[in-house]
């Protein structure tokens, strides 16, 4: 059975590495559901890729080993949703008039723990951070009131297991000396 | 709350706690230095610093500065002008496989670089170290669809172990040092360095230091003794153990260690296609060749073994056949340097992620001295069946034309199994690897994983250049020969003394065999009207002969082997001969067909 996995990849900051990682999925006909790249917090030149894919429990380990095999990848991990804290951010652009006309939209925003980022003369931008189903729910709720635009980020995730990354990296360096 | 409770808090380690050190490390002492030289000269000096002896390449606009710099170093760096860039990669592969060093190629941008791709893909899947250097349009033209601009980094990414684009002269030394380190260490593979033309022309102060470490890349994990002990335990208690040996033995130069382990454990060993010649074919523990056209015994017996020890091999589908029925009775030990190969195709019980040599050294003292006379006798019995059903037919002189098998058997006898044998892809390849009795290691050069027709002729050139002291014989089908025959020009120009045997069946034989067996003999576009190969060779000043009669075979083979320098021998063989045994694609190895 296919299920969602979140893959965290720690890499050198190199041109083309995104390509090297995505072709591993392309070649195996795996769709990338979401992808985020940022600094890792380890050091300025180590980056973190967070990739969400759907595949089988049998296959995920093999795919992640192929990622880790790339020369500029330090370490790659994969998690099921229960093993991570994860969030996505969504933004919703609505006409300002819908807020003025009725309180419904304001209620929706309040009940969903969303917030209004900006109010311009013609439009407002609402922001919600949460899991995909939550931001999706808000999307469906707002849609009838005239949703002008919608954008959702890729997933960012922090792993629950307490074995620190530093230890993994230390093991890696010991193997490499 | 007091401050003391704070300090009793469990100590957490932050992600950033560990200092990773330099991204890339180099030996402190430079090997070579020169001030104020062009990037192009830096390329050549980098190769000289790496003690490269041979470069296979082809010039063009975007790499002309490098060729210009090469001109001044002809005495130190020998360049071979191939006739097509694919030939450069295959020649470099042939060189790398015998010289135990990365093969080096040059090509220009655009079509020059794209012509390298087949060979690079071949090197990738067969773990052959290559350093390919391509010219690229100038930095400011990147992305403009400039003349002969292709995205070589993008195109080569899936088939290189690593690749990198250099856009400044001062990056060249480090990029090339890193390229050699990555290509040759761990599981070897091809790398590509794409150098923009401006970087070749710009001046730099050149300092070459060998690369020793890339922090994000672990070529070899340290051995876990726990796994070694578990493996030894399984082997020592086995009733029917069997080794499956692959190219990892040759790449890690573990031939002697393998012999010791086999002689102590008493277990039989079968080889993959690329593992051939790792163990002498006359060694008492050697039981033959695995895979689609391998021997009967090792194929069927692998499914009866109770402990499998796979060393430096990757369970290719041509070896395993149907995975659902493969090795089901066995506990599986997999000794393999590349962690991504563990459990990829076959689930292991004990994984030893290691260089083959180190693992065998660690394993040897833990093994009990054992013998398996009954188990070995089962292989002998299989050999008897295979002889009766296959070999006796292959070698019986009952056909009008010569059979491939007869040629290989005689060639094997005449060369005492000591030649370097380079094969192309098809029936002749399977027949050669079945019947050539490899006595000496590093003698089997073939395109295994990719099955690239056209491989053998250029690869044999590289092999001869890498090992001038050894006899190099290319055995090629009439089809595959015509894919890269232009490389006869290299043999002519540089007097490369390879022997070329074309086994001419006037068919794309292997495809015809499948058409006969699986497509009801519908021979769709497999028959070939061939040129006069002898005249073709003579046009290149290469002595040549055509052999048609069985009774002339011995004399003509002697003539070829005694000839100093290159020689082309066309042998007209049976048109519709088949290679057996055969495990039909997707079938279980237990259901190997003998006829
Ligand atoms: C580049 C390439 N194209 C196509 C194939 C498919 N193929 C495999 S074997 C074969 C026939 C080879 O014929 P020939 O070279 O005459 O050798 P024979 O099998 O007759 O010994 C073909 C076409 C291949 N392996 N490589």
């Amino acid at each position: 059975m296919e299920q969602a996995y979140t893959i965290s990849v720690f890499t050198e900051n190199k041109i083309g590495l995104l390509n090297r990682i995505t072709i591993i999925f392309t070649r195996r006909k795996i769709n990338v559901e979401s992808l985020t790249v940022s600094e890792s917090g380890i050091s300025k030149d180590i980056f973190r890729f967070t990739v969400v894919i759907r595949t089988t429990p049998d296959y995920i380990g093999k795919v992640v080993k192929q990622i880790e095999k790339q020369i500029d990848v330090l370490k790659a991990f994969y998690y099921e949703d229960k093993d991570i804290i994860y969030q996505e951010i969504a933004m919703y652009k609505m006409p300002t008039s819908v807020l003025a006309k009725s309180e419904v939209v304001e209620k929706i925003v309040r009940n969903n723990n969303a917030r209004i980022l900006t109010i311009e003369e013609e439009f407002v931008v609402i922001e919600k951070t949460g899991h995909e189903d939550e931001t999706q729910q808000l999307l469906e709720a707002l849609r009838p009131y005239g949703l002008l635009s919608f954008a959702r980020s890729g997933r960012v995730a922090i792993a629950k297991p307490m074995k620190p990354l530093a230890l993994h990296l230390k093991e890696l360096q010991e193997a490499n000396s | 709350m007091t401050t003391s409770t704070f300090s009793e808090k469990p100590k957490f380690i932050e992600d950033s706690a560990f200092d990773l050190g330099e991204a890339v490390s180099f030996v402190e002492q430079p090997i070579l230095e020169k001030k104020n030289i062009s990037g192009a000269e830096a390329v050549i000096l980098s190769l000289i610093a790496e003690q490269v002896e041979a470069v296979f390449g082809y010039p063009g606009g975007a790499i002309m500065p490098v060729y210009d710099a090469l001109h001044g170093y002809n005495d130190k760096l020998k360049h071979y002008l191939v006739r097509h860039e694919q030939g450069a990669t295959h020649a470099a592969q042939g060189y790398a496989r015998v010289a135990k060093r990365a093969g080096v190629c040059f090509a220009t941008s655009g079509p020059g670089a794209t012509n390298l791709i087949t060979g690079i893909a071949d090197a990738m899947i067969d773990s052959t170290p290559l350093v390919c250097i391509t010219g690229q349009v100038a930095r400011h033209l990147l992305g403009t669809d400039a003349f002969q601009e292709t995205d070589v980094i993008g195109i080569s990414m899936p088939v290189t172990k690593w690749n990198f684009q250099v856009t400044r002269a001062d990056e060249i030394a480090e990029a090339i040092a890193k390229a050699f380190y990555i290509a040759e260490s761990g599981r070897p593979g091809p790398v590509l360095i794409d150098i923009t033309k401006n970087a070749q022309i710009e001046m730099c102060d050149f300092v070459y230091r060998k690369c020793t470490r890339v922090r994000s890349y672990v070529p070899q994990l340290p051995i876990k003794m726990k796994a070694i002990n578990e493996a030894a335990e399984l082997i020592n208690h086995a009733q029917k153990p069997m080794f499956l040996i692959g190219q990892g033995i040759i790449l890690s130069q573990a031939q002697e260690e393998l012999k010791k382990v086999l002689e102590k454990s008493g277990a039989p060993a079968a080889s993959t296609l690329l593992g051939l010649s790792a163990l002498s074919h006359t060694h008492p523990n050697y039981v033959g060749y695995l895979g689609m056209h391998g021997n009967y015994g090792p194929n069927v017996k692998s499914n009866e073994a109770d402990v499998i020890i796979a060393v430096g091999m990757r369970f290719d589908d041509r070896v395993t056949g149907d995975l659902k029925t493969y090795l089901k009775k066995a506990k599986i030990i997999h000794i393999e340097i590349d962690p991504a190969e563990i459990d990829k195709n076959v689930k292991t019980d004990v994984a030893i992620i290691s260089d083959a040599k180190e693992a065998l050294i660690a394993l040897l003292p833990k093994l009990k001295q054992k013998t398996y006379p009954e188990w070995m006798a089962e292989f002998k019995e299989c050999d008897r069946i295979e002889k009766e059903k296959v070999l006796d037919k292959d070698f019986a002189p009952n056909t009008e034309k010569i059979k491939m098998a007869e040629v290989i058997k005689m060639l094997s006898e005449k060369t005492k199994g000591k030649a370097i044998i380079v094969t192309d892809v098809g029936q002749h390849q399977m027949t050669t690897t079945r019947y050539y009795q490899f006595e000496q290691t590093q003698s089997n050069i073939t395109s295994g994983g990719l099955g690239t027709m056209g491989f053998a002729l250029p690869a044999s050139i590289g092999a001869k250049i890498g090992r001038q002291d050894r006899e190099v014989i290319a055995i090629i089908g009439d089809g595959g020969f015509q894919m890269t025959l232009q490389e006869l020009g290299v043999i002519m120009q540089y007097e490369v003394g390879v022997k070329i045997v074309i086994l001419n069946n006037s068919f794309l034989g292997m495809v015809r065999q499948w058409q006969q067996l699986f497509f009801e003999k519908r021979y769709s576009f497999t028959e070939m009207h061939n040129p006069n190969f002898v005249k073709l060779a003579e046009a290149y000043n290469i002595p040549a002969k055509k052999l048609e009669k069985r009774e002339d075979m011995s004399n003509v083979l002697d003539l070829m082997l005694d000839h100093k320098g290159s020689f082309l021998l066309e042998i007209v063989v049976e048109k519709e001969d088949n290679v057996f045994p055969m495990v039909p694609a997707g079938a279980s190895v237990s259901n190997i067909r003998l006829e």
Side-chain angles (χ1 to χ4, degrees):
Chain A
M1 260 299 285
E2 287 202 348
Q3 64 178 88
Y5 287 98
T6 301
I7 303 173
S8 290
V9 190
F10 295 89
T11 76
E12 299 286 351
N13 178 18
K14 289 281 163 62
I15 292 172
L17 196 51
L18 173 63
N19 202 0
R20 275 211 176 258
I21 292 172
T22 58
I23 55 181
I24 290 170
F25 302 121
T26 313
R27 176 171 169 193
R28 293 168 178 79
K29 210 165 168 71
I30 293 173
N31 191 28
V32 172
E33 312 246 318
S34 109
L35 173 94
T36 317
V37 187
S38 71
E39 211 180 287
S40 65
I42 299 172
S43 75
K44 261 215 325 271
D45 50 355
I46 306 287
F47 271 60
R48 177 202 281 260
F49 287 61
T50 307
V51 192
V52 182
I53 62 163
R54 293 186 68 82
T55 185
T56 59
D58 203 35
Y59 209 54
I60 181 72
K62 301 180 189 184
V63 174
V64 170
K65 280 196 214 167
Q66 294 295 335
I67 296 174
E68 200 164 275
K69 183 168 161 173
Q70 300 307 314
I71 299 293
D72 293 316
V73 170
L74 284 122
K75 206 73 198 145
F77 303 91
Y78 65 94
Y79 306 99
E80 294 180 27
D81 286 355
K82 65 176 168 49
D83 301 326
I84 47 173
I85 304 299
Y86 60 96
Q87 290 285 56
E88 282 148 25
I89 180 168
M91 294 205 275
Y92 312 76
K93 182 174 168 188
M94 312 273 295
T96 308
S97 55
V98 301
L99 275 179
K101 265 190 251 153
S102 95
E103 286 170 13
V104 189
V105 170
E106 197 197 317
K107 272 230 175 76
I108 294 173
V109 170
R110 216 183 277 281
N111 290 343
N112 280 276
N113 279 327
R115 64 177 182 134
I116 294 170
L117 275 187
T118 179
I119 306 180
E120 308 274 323
E121 215 174 291
E122 293 180 299
F123 66 89
V124 296
V125 175
I126 298 161
E127 178 223 289
K128 168 149 183 74
T129 304
H131 288 185
E132 189 182 332
D133 56 330
E134 295 167 332
T135 54
Q136 188 68 25
Q137 207 178 329
L138 180 57
L139 173 68
E140 301 310 333
L142 291 175
R143 208 192 285 279
Y145 301 95
L147 182 78
L148 298 172
S149 289
F150 169 71
R152 178 162 48 213
S153 74
R155 176 181 284 194
V156 293
I158 294 275
K160 288 182 191 171
M162 286 303 282
K163 177 166 179 184
L165 180 67
L167 267 192
H168 286 287
L169 295 175
K170 191 157 173 268
E171 282 167 14
L172 182 86
Q173 291 317 303
E174 280 163 3
N176 202 4
S177 53
Chain B
M1 206 201 282
T2 64
T3 43
S4 69
T5 48
F6 242 106
S7 60
E8 281 158 22
K9 210 175 69 159
K11 257 216 183 123
F12 290 123
I13 304 177
E14 293 159 11
D15 279 355
S16 58
F18 185 71
D19 179 13
L20 286 166
E22 291 290 316
V24 190
S25 314
F26 300 91
V27 178
E28 203 150 309
Q29 192 58 35
I31 321 181
L32 211 54
E33 285 176 89
K34 196 170 174 190
K35 286 222 166 348
N36 200 30
I37 61 169
S38 70
E41 191 177 349
V43 171
I44 303 301
L45 288 181
S46 298
L47 298 181
I48 290 170
E50 286 288 344
Q51 295 179 311
V52 171
E53 296 164 339
V55 177
F56 303 93
Y58 210 94
I63 198 166
M64 283 188 63
V66 169
Y67 272 85
D68 189 52
L70 180 62
H71 197 67
Y73 288 99
N74 274 336
D75 52 332
K76 294 216 176 76
L77 188 61
K78 184 113 176 92
H79 176 275
Y80 296 87
L81 177 68
V82 293
R83 300 306 194 257
H84 182 292
E85 290 85 351
Q86 182 186 350
T89 47
H90 294 327
Q93 285 180 279
Y95 177 88
R97 294 249 201 119
V98 299
K100 299 175 242 173
R101 293 232 43 204
V104 181
C105 321
F106 284 169
T108 192
S109 66
T114 56
N115 276 347
L116 296 178
I117 296 297
T118 303
I120 295 177
D122 194 290
M124 183 71 172
I125 201 163
D126 280 352
S127 311
T128 309
L130 294 187
V131 173
C132 301
I133 293 174
T134 51
Q136 181 56 280
V137 301
R139 172 82 176 96
H140 72 277
L141 292 173
L142 289 174
T144 65
D145 299 322
F147 178 65
Q148 293 191 329
E149 185 201 1
T150 45
D151 174 14
V152 176
I153 291 295
I155 290 174
S156 65
M157 211 170 258
V159 291
T160 46
K161 187 173 172 186
W162 181 72
N163 63 6
F164 184 72
Q165 187 171 61
V166 168
T167 53
R168 293 195 327 254
D170 60 11
E171 295 173 322
I172 286 171
E174 288 198 357
I176 294 180
K178 205 174 156 188
F180 275 92
Y181 171 68
I182 292 170
E184 291 175 344
S185 60
R187 178 178 180 174
V191 303
L192 183 143
I193 302 287
D194 193 37
I195 309 179
T196 57
K197 198 166 180 181
N198 61 292
Q200 300 170 39
I201 296 164
E202 281 166 14
M203 304 304 273
C204 64
D205 288 339
F206 172 79
V207 184
Y208 199 87
R209 295 186 168 91
K210 261 188 107 71
C211 175
T212 53
R213 174 179 169 275
V214 173
R215 73 176 171 195
S216 56
Y217 161 61
V218 184
Q220 216 167 301
L221 286 163
I223 288 198
K224 295 213 165 82
M225 280 317 284
K226 185 166 169 283
I228 295 284
N229 290 333
E230 285 169 9
E233 185 71 12
L234 282 177
I235 299 168
N236 288 337
H237 290 99
Q239 308 289 316
K240 295 183 167 190
M242 181 175 174
F243 281 80
L244 311 182
I245 59 171
Q247 193 192 196
I249 301 285
I250 297 171
L251 291 171
S252 70
Q253 297 179 54
Q255 294 90 344
E256 284 309 308
E257 289 73 14
L258 173 71
K259 255 197 265 173
K260 285 187 193 145
V261 163
L262 292 177
E263 285 160 15
K264 193 164 177 198
S265 72
S271 174
T272 66
L273 170 61
L274 290 187
L276 290 175
S277 87
L279 180 65
S280 158
H281 286 201
T282 48
H283 190 279
N285 295 56
Y286 182 70
V287 291
Y289 166 30
L290 294 161
M292 186 172 261
H293 294 287
N295 294 111
Y296 180 55
N299 273 305
V300 295
K301 291 294 158 191
S302 55
N303 270 356
E304 292 170 26
D306 64 349
V307 174
I308 290 283
I309 311 101
V311 194
M313 57 85 79
R314 60 183 179 85
F315 291 110
D316 178 80
D317 59 282
R318 287 300 196 251
V319 161
T320 66
D322 175 28
L323 281 173
K324 285 197 232 41
T325 57
Y326 187 60
L327 307 184
K328 287 302 167 207
K329 292 186 185 153
K331 292 272 186 219
I332 295 162
I333 300 163
H334 195 180
I335 300 175
E336 166 59 48
I337 197 164
D338 177 0
E341 290 298 343
I342 305 290
D343 294 341
K344 187 184 79 178
N345 296 340
V346 171
K347 184 97 189 81
T348 48
D349 296 283
V350 179
I352 300 174
I353 303 173
S354 158
D355 169 83
K357 185 174 189 145
E358 286 183 21
L360 294 174
I361 289 174
L363 196 56
L364 184 66
K366 313 262 173 185
L367 295 178
K368 286 207 189 107
Q369 188 83 39
K370 285 181 85 175
T371 53
Y372 299 88
E374 282 166 29
W375 176 225
M376 292 302 281
E378 290 182 36
F379 285 90
K380 285 265 164 352
E381 175 56 17
C382 287
D383 287 348
R384 194 193 57 74
I385 297 169
E386 184 175 341
K387 178 171 181 305
E388 197 179 296
K389 298 266 189 194
V390 184
L391 276 68
D392 285 351
K393 284 185 204 159
D394 277 353
F395 297 126
N398 57 357
T399 48
E400 186 203 329
K401 295 200 178 108
I402 300 171
K403 284 184 279 193
M404 289 187 184
E406 301 174 73
V407 178
I408 305 307
K409 184 162 184 262
M410 190 175 279
L411 202 59
S412 185
E413 286 161 5
K414 286 189 186 292
T415 55
K416 303 192 174 67
K418 288 189 174 153
I420 291 176
I421 299 294
V422 188
T423 41
D424 212 72
V425 175
Q427 291 185 315
H428 66 280
Q429 174 193 35
M430 291 297 117
T431 306
T432 305
T433 45
R434 278 180 57 72
Y435 294 127
Y436 195 84
Q437 296 275 312
F438 292 100
E439 273 302 324
Q440 206 168 322
T441 196
Q442 282 190 306
S443 299
N444 165 49
I445 299 176
T446 195
S447 167
L450 206 66
T452 307
M453 283 172 73
F455 172 85
L457 186 65
S460 69
I461 295 171
K464 185 70 193 179
I465 289 165
R467 285 300 297 269
Q468 315 256 3
D469 57 321
R470 290 188 63 189
E471 180 84 86
V472 176
I473 306 173
I475 297 171
I476 318 182
D478 45 313
F481 180 74
Q482 293 180 71
M483 281 209 173
T484 48
L485 72 84
Q486 72 281 356
E487 304 306 337
L488 290 175
V490 181
I491 295 173
M492 171 179 69
Q493 185 167 353
Y494 304 99
E495 297 178 4
V496 186
V498 291
K499 306 285 161 33
I500 305 154
V501 177
I502 299 176
L503 296 179
N504 181 3
N505 53 13
S506 297
F507 267 109
L508 297 174
M510 187 56 91
V511 178
R512 188 211 52 74
Q513 173 169 345
W514 284 48
Q515 288 171 339
Q516 181 186 340
L517 298 177
F518 311 116
F519 295 88
E520 292 158 340
K521 247 187 158 175
R522 286 185 297 276
Y523 290 170
S524 179
F525 298 99
T526 42
E527 194 165 6
M528 283 204 143
H529 291 188
N530 283 323
N532 183 327
F533 292 116
V534 171
K535 275 195 181 162
L536 205 55
E538 282 167 359
Y540 284 96
N541 245 339
I542 296 169
K545 205 162 173 61
K546 181 172 183 170
L547 167 68
E548 292 185 87
K549 291 208 190 83
R550 188 171 273 121
E551 55 268 31
D552 298 337
M553 185 157 76
S554 181
N555 283 341
V556 173
L557 286 181
D558 285 340
L559 181 80
M560 173 182 85
L561 293 170
D562 291 342
H563 181 79
K564 292 241 175 320
S566 60
F567 194 95
L568 183 144
L569 174 60
E570 175 194 355
I571 305 182
V572 180
V573 295
E574 274 295 297
K575 286 181 82 165
E576 298 188 38
D577 208 4
N578 287 335
V579 187
F580 282 109
M582 177 175 196
V583 182
S588 164
V589 292
S590 301
N591 297 333
I592 185 166
R593 285 174 63 167
L594 289 169
E595 50 200 345

